[in-house]
Amino acid sequence: MKCWIFTNNLFNKLNFNSFCRICFTLRTNIILRSNILTLIFPYLLNDHNNFIIANSIITPNHIQPE
């Protein structure tokens, strides 16, 4: 006697496989794009006020004594 739960249903296997493949490719695509974006434009999302060129002769205002 064969149980109907354990029957080989090729359709369900193919659906699950295609779903996993699509999820994997989307995740990989997002990760690769974000890595490429950060490698090409590393300061794109940073605060530009932190990158003021330092002058070694003048002491910054927040360090000067009152």
Side-chain angles (χ1 to χ4, degrees), residues 17-48:
N17 185 17
S18 62
F19 176 74
C20 286
R21 189 179 334 132
I22 289 171
C23 286
F24 177 74
T25 54
L26 285 176
R27 266 187 274 152
T28 308
N29 194 0
I30 290 170
I31 290 171
L32 285 177
R33 284 179 185 260
S34 63
N35 285 342
I36 289 172
L37 184 68
T38 55
L39 288 174
I40 293 175
F41 305 109
Y43 303 118
L44 182 66
L45 300 175
N46 286 346
D47 186 16
H48 296 289

Side-chain angles (χ1 to χ4, degrees), residues 9-23:
N9 192 351
L10 187 61
F11 181 73
N12 288 337
K13 290 180 183 179
L14 290 176
N15 265 343
F16 185 71
N17 185 17
S18 62
F19 176 74
C20 286
R21 189 179 334 132
I22 289 171
C23 286

